[in-house]
Amino acid sequence: MIAKNSAGNSAQNSIKIDTAHCLSVEQLQQQLLTGPDGLSQEEAGLRLQRYGPNALAPAAVTPAWLLFLRQFKSLFIYVLLASATLSFLLDHHLDSAVILAVVLINAIIGFIQEGKAEQALRAILSLTISHSVVVRTGVQQTVDSRQLVPGDLVFLQAGDKVPADLRLIDCNACQCDESLLTGESQARLKSPRILSADTPLAERDNMAYMGTMLVAGTAHGLVINTGPRTEIGHINTLVQTVVINQTPMQRQLNSLTRNLTLIVLAVAAATLLAGMLLYDFVFADMLQAAIAIAVAAIPEGLPAVVTIVLAIGVQRMARKHALVRRLPSVEVLGSVDVICSDKTGTLTANAMTARTLITVGRQYQLSGEGYSPEGSIQGGIKEGAGAANKKEQTLDLAAHIALLCNDSSVNESGHGWQANGDPTEAALYVLALKAGLTSSAVNQDWLRQDTLPFDPARRYMATLHQTANGKKLLLKGAPEQVLSFCSTQAGSTDSEVLDAAYWEQEMGVLADAGMRVMALACKSLPEDVTGLDRNLAEAGLTMVALVGLSDPPRSEAIQAIADCHAAGIRVKMITGDNPGTAAAIGRELGLDTSRVLTGSELDAMDVETLARIVDEVDIYARTSPGNKLELVRSLQRNRHVVAMTGDGVNDAPALRQADIGVAMGLKGTDAAREAADFVLTDDNFATMARAVREGRKVYDNTLKSIVFILPTNLAEALIILLAVLLGWTLPISASQILWINMVTTVTLSLALVFEAGEKDLMARPPRPAHSGFLNTLLMRRLLLVGGSGAMIVFPLFSWYVEQGATLELARSVAVNTMVMIEAFYLLSCRFLYRSVFQSGVWSGAGPVAVSIALVVLAQLAFTYTPFFQQVFAVAALSTADWLRSLLAASVVMVVVEIDKAAGRKFRPQSGLALGVKQGFE
């Protein structure tokens, strides 16, 4: 036991994670001032004061009041609040109240929909365990894992989570599942041997990292790093450095808001000055006219419409197994052009599966995925009946070895089939079930009498069984080791001379395919043998079969990647697995495997080199969390919109950095789920393709809403502007404009958010993130609809005035005509380019029909109800008035449809609503 030290003499620094694996145990003990008996209780207390608790800092949470105030951070809102204030000062209290009500409703909707603050850091905290077994002053004791300090000696056994970063000093058949940290699908066999300094993190077999799990064996380890200095602590730091970017649509809406606000304010100011200079109008009247223009031109209902479009998208995606955590992220999928996906558990099942079984002269392929026994064994080279019969017997023997020389099993739970024990052994167990064996029956006929447990140094396991035909030794292990024990092979005769070259060749084929290879062998023993020893197990065996195992790609993921490619989306696989396995899985998934880059190669690249390479390579292996994060950032620097899928702690920083982070809901960690924008509740990559379609539909419907709202608002503003410039009475008052905007927003505008989506959504290339809403299409509609709407309403109002109609009647005609213009224009907006007169376009038009019916009822109430007549100063219309209004309003739809027809004639068909340049270019 080492002597007690003062705080000043305690280990000055925890060992850096990049050096502990290449130091001897003695060197580590010397640097950490500890020994075989561990630390003293007093020394542990001093170090706890120095290094702090073995825990990570929780994430900051945005207060609710601040979240609510953020909803008012918009130029639209600022202008509307100013308009409400001025209207109130001018004694137009109704106008002021309506404006304020709209602002408040929008703020409440945004506050409710924004959701929870990010909790990735607190989720990572859950990976630490509550208690640990340590040795202090030579006595084994249980302590709170938060009290662990560098230099502590920790004991681990199968099923334990690793409480801190440890340098292992002794191991007994110790295997560790590090998939959540490294992405490696197979449990790592641990060993205390010293490693070279350049050993990648995923291959540091003498280390165990916080949050990973021991799946087999026992071990003692020295605590090297705790809390924020652990590998998970490093990931925690990376997560803290990530700034959540605005979505493309948020950026576009902000740009639209800024530009539109400046234009509206300039026009309103010019109108005020023109009225006063040209006609010597009273300042208060001109100020009210300027407010009317601002209220008419600013789409105060647009924020609510966009929020509702997104909310409906969220509901639809939830029904398709995709839960949305951040509302604005729904539309991002519409512009995603690169999906970076973790391999293990995302593209693959994260379950070892026996996929190929090779015997003498015959090869079998096993169908099915994961630990489910559903599947079959097929294949092989057909020969004579006798030979075939012998080889079927060999398959049966191989299945018995896989089942009996095995300490694992599988069972079905609410989350599917799960492995009990070592994943590789569980895969062999499933192989036997697919061959038709049942555990209870076989164990009864093959009674186990003795076992040689798996020894990492000898790399095999053996069991002794009593059968009706005598004693049998069954053995499985590393193929080159097992082959050295064999002198014969099971083939067309009971015992052929071993063909070592054949087996070595088949081992290479399986290894080149990225599979883990296991060998199965057996041996008959005399009846007087009652126990096993190494001498019996390591000589005179019969080679039976080779089994190739891997974590297979999900069948639905293969189709989903093909769908993504068809939609112009490139898929990149970023994994912690080895390059050979990554390339093999990539080939099956349909990815470009011409080049595979490793994490060490990425570390050696500068930013410029990586920016050139990242667009060319689709597969990245042996990557660290930092590599994944930098790859996402590099793609974003190349102006890609990036989605990142993953399930492990190692994916959390990249998930948060990506434009859209997608976590797995079933097998994913809390850290991944809390760092993501989406959670797939079925862990199915294919859900991504469906989510992309929904994202594109959300953007389409948002664009349709903007194309509907802005031109009609412009028409209202132009009506006011023309009246001021010509010195006329306003055809529509400010309060009447607010009525028009309110009634059409809650009826006509909302109809577009329920559109089912164009048929070609997934045949389009992705929409570039830098494309804006102010495109050629919108500009044309602004000119056509805004101009024609104003040129219809203003002359109609003037004609009524000239015919001696009252101001109330003329304005009533103007208001109803403007509303009917919007109703006719809505029909055209259902399809940005297709004609409303083509066959089949009325399918799914129910929401539009309902909205038009509602707005007609609202206008009838507005026109004929005494209350509304008094509040808004309007009069009842005759049948002739309605006919004139409807006939005039329909002209706008005819103008838009003529423009569509001209566009289709001169515009390439591939430009159909691409969202690339969005226009007839």
Side-chain angles (χ1 to χ4, degrees), residues 306-515:
V306 171
T307 299
I308 294 169
V309 171
L310 295 174
I312 291 173
V314 167
Q315 294 171 1
R316 286 172 172 165
M317 295 183 74
R319 291 195 293 268
K320 297 175 181 177
H321 307 290
L323 301 181
V324 181
R325 298 188 64 252
R326 292 178 59 227
L327 188 68
S329 64
V330 176
E331 64 82 23
V332 183
L333 287 170
S335 57
V336 163
D337 60 348
V338 176
I339 297 177
C340 295
S341 179
D342 178 46
K343 176 182 73 68
T344 305
T346 307
L347 295 171
T348 67
N350 194 21
M352 289 298 292
T353 303
R355 306 182 67 191
T356 302
L357 187 144
I358 296 175
T359 61
V360 172
R362 195 156 190 177
Q363 177 172 305
Y364 301 89
Q365 300 299 326
L366 287 81
S367 64
E369 298 175 359
Y371 300 120
S372 169
E374 296 178 2
S376 61
I377 302 177
Q378 298 177 342
I381 302 173
K382 298 295 184 181
E383 299 179 359
N389 184 54
K390 282 290 185 184
K391 289 175 181 177
E392 292 298 341
Q393 291 178 6
T394 304
L395 172 61
D396 184 67
L397 177 58
H400 276 76
I401 298 172
L403 181 70
L404 296 168
C405 189
N406 196 324
D407 288 329
S408 297
S409 63
V410 298
N411 70 284
E412 189 174 17
S413 67
H415 296 302
W417 288 86
Q418 306 292 325
N420 300 316
D422 178 74
T424 300
E425 283 199 330
L428 293 174
Y429 185 92
V430 172
L431 180 156
L433 298 183
K434 290 178 181 178
L437 303 185
T438 58
S439 177
S440 57
V442 173
N443 278 300
Q444 184 176 354
D445 294 338
W446 293 59
L447 183 64
R448 183 189 290 194
Q449 293 186 327
D450 198 10
T451 303
L452 287 177
F454 179 81
D455 184 340
R458 297 179 180 269
R459 303 192 310 177
Y460 70 85
M461 171 186 177
T463 55
L464 176 64
H465 298 266
Q466 178 66 60
T467 75
N469 298 321
K471 296 287 182 74
K472 285 283 188 180
L473 182 151
L474 308 181
L475 184 142
K476 74 170 190 299
E480 62 277 5
Q481 189 82 332
V482 175
L483 188 62
S484 68
F485 302 157
C486 296
S487 56
T488 60
Q489 61 189 28
S492 57
T493 61
D494 288 335
S495 183
E496 296 181 351
V497 176
L498 181 71
D499 183 355
Y502 167 78
W503 294 106
E504 289 170 355
Q505 177 182 337
E506 296 301 327
M507 289 179 207
V509 171
L510 293 175
D512 290 342
M515 295 188 187

Side-chain angles (χ1 to χ4, degrees), residues 175 314 589:
Q175 296 184 59
V314 167
L589 289 167

Side-chain angles (χ1 to χ4, degrees), residues 877-900:
L877 302 185
S878 67
T879 302
D881 295 329
W882 278 111
L883 289 175
R884 293 187 190 100
S885 178
L886 290 172
L887 182 62
S890 65
V891 172
V892 173
M893 185 177 76
V894 174
V895 170
V896 172
E897 290 304 311
I898 292 173
D899 181 65
K900 284 185 184 180

